[in-house]
Amino acid sequence: METVIGLFNYWIVIVLMMAGFYIVIAQENMIKKMVGLSIFQVAVFVFYISMSNVFGGTAPIAAEGFTLYSNPLPHVLILTAIVVGVATTALGLALIVRIKEEFGTIEDDRIRDMEEHGEESEA
Amino acid sequence: MNRHSILRVVAKLMIPYILLFALYVQFHGDFGPGGGFQAGVIFAAAFILYALIFGIENGRKVMPARVNRILLAGGVLLYCFVGLAGIFLGSEFLDYNVLGPTPVAGQHYGILLVELGVGLTVSSTMIAIFYVFAGQDI
Amino acid sequence: MNPADIFIDIFLLLLMAAVAIAIVRSHLMFAVVMLSGIFSLLAAVLYVHLTAVDVAFTEAAVGAGVSTLLFLATLALTHVNVEEKHKPVRVVPLVIVTATGAMLIWGTLDMPHYGDPEAPANKHVAPRYIQESPKETGLPNMVTSVLASYRGYDTLGEVVVIFTAGAGVLVILGRSRRRRRPGVNDEDGDNLEEERA
């Protein structure tokens, strides 16, 4: 039981990661692939934040009467990663909008078909 | 969106408080949760709300694309200059101890300016991305 | 470790897993985007529970706010409502995903348990930050002082990445508008022309 509680966060993190991974490799719609990537990303964030947590610890803002704090370092890494993540997601979405303009579809397999049959494949 | 008078009135009421809250998060981030990253996004949210309610063309008048691009680069440059100031004052890149009369005061100035740079870049990136997405009329 | 804390933790994690599975199974794009916003909000609540208040703040503002907005804007621009060929289960990817997940779960068996103060991740530099940073920088918020001062190089790099991503979006979508309608002198096109000159 203690092992289950102690490792439960990591197991769910892995479930979330694999859900995102499945979307990226098995589904063709590019917007959905971006959602899958962001699920994967959040899974990594939850993993880091879970590792930084200390039982009985408080948020890492120094205050009178507290001695036990969570580890601030993963918080810093993830805080910046979230904002960078949305900026790169925006870049990916911008590329998707351009792909739609150029190919008329955002389904990965149809674009691949077009390129193989050489219709309108010039970018 | 001209007919949605409730949205317009509520947005007009909300926007100053959103901006004020963003400034609070920016400059109080040293003491409570917050900082440049969060403040930048909240600051951008006010402009995005304005553009959503009053139309993208009015939004561009409030924050012209050119001003926004200058701020976008300005934030990164401010950060770099704070780093370089450390070198010119006789220490290393991004060493804030020499920026003030005492190391603690120097750290305080350094962190405030660096967070301001972060906030500027993040807010203008978000505004720029939104304007570009919303300005596409396919 | 308090049983209520454990319960909230497990409950939130299971909700997140349920939302993720719902995203995998749904083929309505609007539903997918909204569920991803809900997913981000749940993540933010979980971060508050795990005492990462700064991270929760960022996730709520960025993940649930701005990124949902951008996904919706993309949906509106691409006129995509449903996935074209939605196959709920594809065997080969499912096998790959299950195998990878099983190996990762096997890997976690040796990990230090959640909330363990003696875990190696909480040992190295973290105690120094916790003890010294309020004195050295005079700021009570350790996350801010580590972010801006101790790891200033790191944050500078992140800001440059954000700047580059923003510039990339401007390059990709800012140009297309002008190119598609070369005869029309719209405002954005004018701005770009002026800045070139």
Side-chain angles (χ1 to χ4, degrees):
Chain A
M1 192 60 199
E2 200 166 291
T3 319
V4 173
I5 290 174
L7 297 176
F8 190 76
N9 282 40
Y10 306 139
W11 292 346
I12 292 287
V13 163
I14 290 166
V15 170
L16 296 179
M17 268 184 194
M18 290 304 121
F21 185 35
Y22 178 82
I23 292 176
V24 173
I25 62 174
Q27 301 192 339
E28 304 291 350
N29 187 301
M30 287 184 179
I31 297 178
K32 196 154 181 199
K33 276 180 199 265
M34 290 303 297
V35 174
L37 276 180
S38 62
I39 291 177
F40 200 114
Q41 221 176 16
V42 170
V44 175
F45 299 161
V46 173
F47 182 65
Y48 267 66
I49 301 297
S50 295
M51 285 205 292
S52 77
N53 191 33
V54 173
F55 279 132
T58 178
I61 297 171
E64 291 289 322
F66 293 101
T67 49
L68 194 58
Y69 297 103
S70 292
N71 184 352
L73 184 55
H75 296 187
V76 173
L77 301 177
I78 297 312
L79 196 159
T80 52
I82 290 174
V83 183
V84 170
V86 77
T88 49
T89 301
L91 190 63
L93 292 175
L95 282 171
I96 290 175
V97 172
R98 288 287 295 130
I99 286 171
K100 171 76 181 181
E101 280 174 18
E102 211 63 52
F103 290 89
T105 179
I106 55 165
E107 302 283 324
D108 204 12
D109 49 348
R110 282 190 46 196
I111 293 171
R112 224 176 297 138
D113 286 350
M114 278 184 194
E115 288 200 321
E116 274 164 18
H117 299 110
E119 7 164 347
E120 294 182 346
S121 63
E122 50 170 328
Chain B
M1 280 267 181
N2 283 330
R3 288 169 299 138
H4 297 275
S5 41
I6 292 178
L7 277 181
R8 293 163 67 94
V9 171
V10 171
K12 272 186 186 163
L13 281 175
M14 294 277 288
I15 286 169
Y17 292 103
I18 296 175
L19 290 173
L20 193 63
F21 182 59
L23 291 174
Y24 166 77
V25 171
Q26 172 81 51
F27 294 108
H28 199 261
D30 314 351
F31 304 99
F37 285 99
Q38 295 93 329
V41 176
I42 296 170
F43 204 76
F47 288 93
I48 290 173
L49 178 65
Y50 186 84
L52 279 176
I53 304 283
F54 296 97
I56 189 74
E57 291 309 322
N58 285 324
R60 277 188 212 277
K61 281 180 200 147
V62 175
M63 174 63 88
R66 185 181 299 178
V67 175
N68 197 43
R69 271 176 241 171
I70 290 170
L71 291 178
L72 179 65
V76 180
L77 287 176
L78 176 62
Y79 201 131
C80 294
F81 281 132
V82 174
L84 289 175
I87 295 183
F88 289 125
L89 292 172
S91 183
E92 294 141 14
F93 187 64
L94 286 174
D95 182 1
Y96 311 141
N97 282 344
V98 291
L99 295 180
T102 63
V104 170
Q107 288 283 343
H108 215 126
Y109 290 136
I111 289 174
L112 207 65
L113 288 172
V114 158
E115 290 274 11
L116 190 62
V118 171
L120 280 179
T121 298
V122 171
S123 73
S124 37
T125 306
M126 296 298 159
I127 293 173
I129 289 173
F130 176 76
Y131 278 5
V132 164
F133 267 88
Q136 305 283 311
D137 34 11
I138 301 175
Chain C
M1 52 175 191
N2 178 340
D5 280 350
I6 300 282
F7 173 76
I8 294 172
D9 184 61
I10 289 177
F11 180 71
L12 286 173
L13 286 166
L14 286 177
L15 265 182
M16 285 178 76
V19 173
I21 304 287
I23 292 175
V24 173
R25 292 174 53 85
S26 174
H27 65 289
L28 297 170
M29 292 314 295
F30 186 72
V32 166
V33 170
M34 280 298 136
L35 283 171
S36 85
I38 293 172
F39 186 75
S40 284
L41 274 180
L42 283 173
V45 177
L46 182 69
Y47 298 150
V48 174
H49 177 67
L50 296 175
T51 69
V53 282
D54 283 275
V55 183
F57 201 162
T58 319
E59 179 75 43
V62 176
V66 175
S67 88
T68 308
L69 187 74
L70 291 177
F71 275 115
L72 284 178
T74 315
L75 281 188
L77 289 177
T78 53
H79 303 293
V80 173
N81 296 320
V82 286
E83 271 183 278
E84 283 186 13
K85 277 178 288 178
H86 183 71
K87 283 180 257 175
V89 177
R90 282 172 67 172
V91 179
V92 178
L94 196 65
V95 170
I96 295 174
V97 163
T98 317
T100 318
M103 277 191 281
L104 285 173
I105 286 181
W106 183 50
T108 62
L109 295 179
D110 289 337
M111 281 188 64
H113 286 187
Y114 159 68
D116 182 3
E118 300 301 314
N122 297 337
K123 278 290 135 192
H124 191 53
V125 287
R128 189 184 174 285
Y129 287 150
I130 290 172
Q131 275 148 21
E132 302 299 326
S133 77
K135 287 176 222 153
E136 283 181 348
T137 62
L139 302 180
N141 189 347
M142 297 161 204
V143 175
T144 301
S145 54
V146 174
L147 179 96
S149 181
Y150 293 91
R151 295 199 153 245
Y153 274 102
D154 197 352
T155 309
L156 177 59
E158 308 272 15
V159 174
V160 173
V161 171
I162 293 168
F163 169 76
T164 313
V169 173
L170 285 177
V171 169
I172 292 170
L173 287 185
R175 259 183 73 218
S176 71
R177 216 179 154 199
R178 200 160 43 107
R179 222 188 56 173
R180 237 180 316 115
R181 290 180 296 168
V184 182
N185 274 336
D186 56 74
E187 206 184 318
D188 198 42
D190 281 347
N191 275 351
L192 279 173
E193 283 299 325
E194 276 166 31
E195 267 165 42
R196 291 273 163 82

